[in-house]
């Protein structure tokens, strides 16, 4: 008896499924996914070589703490000053209005220099040991003005700038550092031999030299100087010059 066209197959009859089609489709999906991932990885911008924050404390040697080199402070005596009279009566003072509008006065202990303006505003600079030296010197300048007969008062004392410096004791590849941190760096060796690094937080400016010397400026508290150096030190180690390359350059010269 002949089978009719609409007759269904028996359930016992196996139905062979084409395996090549499913395998080919899976390969196509995998290749499409791989190409997509490759394109995504290629289009991503390169990230700067910054070490993880957890390693900052462990990589930072305690003996490289930056030392204070200069403290700039300001205060106001709240009275009008006759700079010619002060220059004639006070010792260690000079006043030349043609060169500079302020009177220059110096004290030996602590060794500092003051710029005294006729409005009563005074800038004290040169303190090196600690911030308290700048305050002590400022009080001495106010006391000298009081002894000259002026109703001077020691008010509005503020630290305006702290300059610190240190030596990391290894040479630094400044070219690599400026490429990895170009958003914060400027380096033009034809104009200035140091790399200028403007840190955002804390707001400190660092002058980094190839010899390993680092100057930090712009801070108003000592803790900002220490924190800025702790942040920059691991990055300096990444771009440390190897001793072999240094020896080869010395041999060529």
């Amino acid at each position: 008896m002949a089978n009719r066209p609409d007759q269904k197959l028996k359930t016992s009859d196996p139905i062979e499924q084409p395996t090549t089609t499913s395998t080919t489709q899976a390969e196509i999906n995998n290749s499409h996914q791989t190409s997509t991932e490759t394109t995504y990885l290629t289009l991503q911008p390169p990230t700067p070589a910054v070490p993880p924050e957890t390693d900052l404390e462990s990589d930072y040697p305690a003996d490289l703490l930056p030392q204070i080199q200069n403290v700039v402070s300001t205060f106001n005596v709240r009275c009008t000053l006759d700079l010619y009279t002060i220059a004639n009566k006070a010792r260690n003072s000079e006043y030349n209005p043609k060169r500079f509008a302020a009177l220059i006065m110096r004290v030996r202990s602590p060794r500092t220099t003051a710029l005294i303006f006729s409005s009563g505003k005074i800038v004290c600079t040169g303190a090196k040991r600690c911030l308290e030296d700048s305050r002590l010197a400022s009080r001495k300048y106010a006391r000298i003005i009081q002894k000259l007969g002026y109703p001077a008062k020691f008010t509005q004392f503020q630290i305006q700038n702290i300059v610190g410096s240190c030596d990391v004791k290894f040479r630094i590849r400044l070219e690599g550092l400026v490429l990895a941190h170009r958003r914060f760096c400027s380096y033009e060796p034809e104009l200035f031999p140091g790399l200028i690094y403007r840190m955002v937080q804390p707001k400190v400016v660092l002058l980094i030299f190839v010899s390993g010397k680092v100057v930090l400026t712009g801070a108003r508290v000592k803790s900002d100087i220490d924190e800025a150096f702790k942040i920059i030190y691991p990055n300096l180690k990444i771009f440390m010059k190897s001793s072999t390359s240094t020896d080869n350059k010395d041999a060529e010269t």
Side-chain angles (χ1 to χ4, degrees), residues 118-156:
S118 59
S119 61
K121 294 182 179 180
I122 300 177
V123 179
C124 178
T125 181
K128 292 187 176 182
R129 292 189 301 175
C130 61
L131 304 183
E132 288 301 322
D133 284 354
S134 182
R135 178 182 288 272
L136 177 60
S138 299
R139 286 187 175 275
K140 285 190 174 183
Y141 291 119
R143 183 60 179 167
I144 292 172
I145 295 174
Q146 286 178 351
K147 289 182 177 180
L148 295 177
Y150 293 94
K153 296 181 180 180
F154 183 73
T155 61
Q156 301 179 6

Coordinates of all heavy atoms in Angstrom, one line a residue, residues 118-156:
S118 N 54.0 100.7 53.0 CA 53.5 101.9 53.7 C 52.1 101.7 54.2 O 51.7 102.4 55.1 CB 53.6 103.2 52.8 OG 52.9 103.0 51.6
S119 N 51.4 100.8 53.6 CA 50.0 100.6 54.0 C 49.9 99.8 55.3 O 48.8 99.7 55.8 CB 49.2 99.9 52.9 OG 49.8 98.6 52.6
G120 N 51.0 99.2 55.7 CA 51.0 98.4 56.9 C 51.0 96.9 56.7 O 51.1 96.1 57.6
K121 N 51.0 96.5 55.4 CA 51.1 95.1 55.0 C 52.5 94.7 55.0 O 53.4 95.5 54.4 CB 50.4 94.8 53.7 CG 48.9 95.1 53.8 CD 48.2 94.7 52.5 CE 46.7 95.0 52.5 NZ 46.0 94.6 51.3
I122 N 52.8 93.5 55.5 CA 54.2 93.1 55.6 C 54.3 91.6 55.1 O 53.4 90.8 55.4 CB 54.8 93.2 57.0 CG1 54.7 94.6 57.5 CG2 56.2 92.7 57.1 CD1 55.2 94.8 58.9
V123 N 55.3 91.3 54.3 CA 55.6 90.0 53.8 C 56.9 89.5 54.4 O 57.9 90.2 54.3 CB 55.7 90.0 52.3 CG1 56.0 88.6 51.8 CG2 54.4 90.5 51.6
C124 N 56.8 88.3 55.1 CA 58.0 87.7 55.7 C 58.4 86.5 55.0 O 57.5 85.6 54.7 CB 57.6 87.4 57.2 SG 59.0 86.6 58.1
T125 N 59.6 86.4 54.6 CA 60.1 85.3 53.8 C 61.5 84.8 54.3 O 62.2 85.6 54.9 CB 60.2 85.6 52.3 OG1 60.7 84.5 51.6 CG2 61.2 86.8 52.1
G126 N 61.8 83.6 54.1 CA 63.1 83.1 54.4 C 63.2 82.1 55.5 O 64.3 81.5 55.8
A127 N 62.1 81.9 56.3 CA 62.1 80.9 57.3 C 62.3 79.5 56.8 O 61.6 79.1 55.8 CB 60.8 81.0 58.1
K128 N 63.2 78.7 57.3 CA 63.6 77.4 56.8 C 63.3 76.2 57.7 O 63.1 75.1 57.2 CB 65.1 77.4 56.4 CG 65.4 78.3 55.2 CD 66.8 78.1 54.8 CE 67.2 78.9 53.6 NZ 68.6 78.7 53.1
R129 N 63.3 76.4 59.0 CA 63.2 75.2 59.9 C 61.8 74.8 60.0 O 61.5 73.6 59.9 CB 63.9 75.6 61.2 CG 65.4 75.7 61.2 CD 66.0 75.9 62.6 NE 65.4 77.0 63.3 CZ 65.6 77.2 64.6 NH1 66.4 76.4 65.3 NH2 65.1 78.3 65.2
C130 N 60.9 75.7 60.4 CA 59.5 75.3 60.6 C 58.6 76.5 60.4 O 59.1 77.6 60.3 CB 59.4 74.7 62.0 SG 59.8 75.9 63.3
L131 N 57.3 76.2 60.5 CA 56.3 77.3 60.3 C 56.3 78.3 61.5 O 56.0 79.5 61.3 CB 54.9 76.7 60.1 CG 54.8 75.7 58.9 CD1 53.3 75.2 58.8 CD2 55.3 76.3 57.6
E132 N 56.6 77.8 62.6 CA 56.6 78.7 63.8 C 57.7 79.7 63.7 O 57.6 80.8 64.3 CB 56.8 77.8 65.1 CG 55.6 77.0 65.4 CD 54.3 77.9 65.7 OE1 54.5 79.0 66.2 OE2 53.2 77.5 65.2
D133 N 58.8 79.4 63.0 CA 59.9 80.4 62.8 C 59.3 81.6 62.1 O 59.7 82.8 62.3 CB 61.1 79.8 62.1 CG 61.9 78.9 63.0 OD1 61.6 78.9 64.2 OD2 62.8 78.3 62.5
S134 N 58.5 81.4 61.1 CA 57.9 82.5 60.3 C 57.0 83.3 61.2 O 57.0 84.6 61.1 CB 57.1 81.9 59.1 OG 56.6 83.0 58.3
R135 N 56.2 82.7 62.0 CA 55.4 83.5 63.0 C 56.2 84.3 64.0 O 55.9 85.5 64.3 CB 54.4 82.5 63.7 CG 53.5 83.2 64.7 CD 52.6 82.2 65.4 NE 51.6 81.7 64.5 CZ 50.4 82.3 64.4 NH1 50.1 83.4 65.1 NH2 49.5 81.8 63.6
L136 N 57.3 83.7 64.5 CA 58.1 84.3 65.5 C 58.8 85.5 64.8 O 58.9 86.6 65.4 CB 59.1 83.3 66.0 CG 60.2 83.9 67.0 CD1 59.5 84.5 68.2 CD2 61.2 82.8 67.4
A137 N 59.3 85.4 63.6 CA 60.0 86.5 62.9 C 59.0 87.6 62.6 O 59.3 88.8 62.8 CB 60.6 86.0 61.6
S138 N 57.8 87.3 62.3 CA 56.7 88.3 62.0 C 56.4 89.1 63.2 O 56.3 90.3 63.2 CB 55.5 87.6 61.4 OG 55.8 86.9 60.2
R139 N 56.4 88.4 64.4 CA 56.1 89.2 65.6 C 57.3 90.1 65.9 O 57.1 91.2 66.5 CB 55.9 88.2 66.8 CG 54.5 87.5 66.7 CD 54.3 86.6 67.9 NE 53.0 86.1 68.0 CZ 51.9 86.7 68.4 NH1 52.0 87.9 68.9 NH2 50.7 86.1 68.4
K140 N 58.5 89.7 65.6 CA 59.6 90.5 65.9 C 59.6 91.8 65.0 O 59.9 92.9 65.5 CB 60.9 89.8 65.6 CG 61.3 88.8 66.7 CD 62.7 88.2 66.5 CE 63.1 87.3 67.7 NZ 64.5 86.8 67.5
Y141 N 59.2 91.7 63.8 CA 59.1 92.9 62.9 C 58.0 93.8 63.4 O 58.2 95.0 63.4 CB 58.8 92.4 61.5 CG 59.9 91.7 60.8 CD1 59.8 90.4 60.3 CD2 61.1 92.4 60.6 CE1 60.8 89.8 59.7 CE2 62.2 91.7 60.0 CZ 62.0 90.4 59.5 OH 63.1 89.8 58.9
A142 N 56.9 93.2 63.9 CA 55.8 94.1 64.4 C 56.3 94.8 65.7 O 56.0 96.0 65.9 CB 54.6 93.2 64.7
R143 N 57.1 94.1 66.5 CA 57.6 94.7 67.7 C 58.6 95.8 67.4 O 58.6 96.9 68.1 CB 58.3 93.6 68.6 CG 58.8 94.1 69.9 CD 57.7 94.7 70.7 NE 58.2 95.2 72.0 CZ 57.5 95.9 72.9 NH1 56.3 96.3 72.5 NH2 58.0 96.3 74.0
I144 N 59.4 95.7 66.4 CA 60.4 96.7 66.0 C 59.6 98.0 65.6 O 60.0 99.1 65.9 CB 61.3 96.2 64.8 CG1 62.2 95.1 65.4 CG2 62.1 97.4 64.2 CD1 63.0 94.5 64.3
I145 N 58.5 97.8 64.8 CA 57.7 98.9 64.4 C 57.1 99.6 65.6 O 56.9 100.9 65.6 CB 56.7 98.5 63.3 CG1 57.4 98.0 62.1 CG2 55.7 99.6 63.0 CD1 56.5 97.4 61.0
Q146 N 56.6 98.8 66.6 CA 56.0 99.4 67.8 C 57.1 100.3 68.5 O 56.7 101.4 69.0 CB 55.5 98.3 68.7 CG 54.2 97.7 68.2 CD 53.8 96.5 69.1 OE1 54.5 96.1 70.0 NE2 52.6 96.0 68.9
K147 N 58.3 99.8 68.6 CA 59.3 100.5 69.3 C 59.7 101.8 68.6 O 60.3 102.7 69.3 CB 60.6 99.7 69.5 CG 60.4 98.5 70.4 CD 61.7 97.7 70.6 CE 61.6 96.6 71.6 NZ 62.8 95.8 71.8
L148 N 59.4 102.0 67.3 CA 59.7 103.2 66.6 C 58.5 104.2 66.8 O 58.6 105.3 66.2 CB 59.9 102.9 65.1 CG 61.1 102.0 64.8 CD1 61.2 101.7 63.3 CD2 62.4 102.8 65.2
G149 N 57.5 103.9 67.6 CA 56.5 104.8 67.9 C 55.2 104.7 67.1 O 54.3 105.5 67.2
Y150 N 55.0 103.6 66.4 CA 53.8 103.4 65.6 C 52.8 102.5 66.4 O 53.3 101.5 67.1 CB 54.1 102.7 64.3 CG 54.9 103.6 63.3 CD1 56.3 103.5 63.3 CD2 54.2 104.5 62.5 CE1 57.0 104.4 62.4 CE2 54.9 105.3 61.6 CZ 56.3 105.2 61.6 OH 57.0 106.0 60.7
P151 N 51.5 102.7 66.3 CA 50.6 101.9 67.1 C 50.3 100.6 66.3 O 49.2 100.3 65.9 CB 49.3 102.7 67.1 CG 49.4 103.6 65.9 CD 50.9 103.9 65.7
A152 N 51.4 99.8 66.1 CA 51.3 98.6 65.3 C 50.6 97.4 66.1 O 50.9 97.3 67.3 CB 52.7 98.2 64.9
K153 N 49.8 96.6 65.4 CA 49.2 95.4 66.0 C 49.5 94.2 65.1 O 49.5 94.4 63.8 CB 47.7 95.6 66.1 CG 47.3 96.7 67.1 CD 45.8 96.8 67.3 CE 45.4 97.9 68.2 NZ 44.0 98.0 68.4
F154 N 49.8 93.1 65.7 CA 50.1 91.9 64.9 C 48.7 91.2 64.6 O 48.2 90.5 65.4 CB 51.0 91.0 65.7 CG 51.4 89.7 65.0 CD1 52.3 89.8 63.9 CD2 50.9 88.5 65.3 CE1 52.7 88.7 63.2 CE2 51.2 87.4 64.6 CZ 52.1 87.4 63.6
T155 N 48.3 91.4 63.3 CA 47.0 90.8 62.9 C 47.1 90.2 61.5 O 48.0 90.4 60.8 CB 45.9 91.9 62.9 OG1 46.3 92.9 61.9 CG2 45.7 92.6 64.2
Q156 N 46.1 89.4 61.2 CA 45.9 88.7 59.9 C 47.1 88.0 59.4 O 47.5 88.0 58.3 CB 45.5 89.8 58.8 CG 44.3 90.6 59.2 CD 44.0 91.7 58.1 OE1 44.6 91.8 57.1 NE2 42.9 92.5 58.4

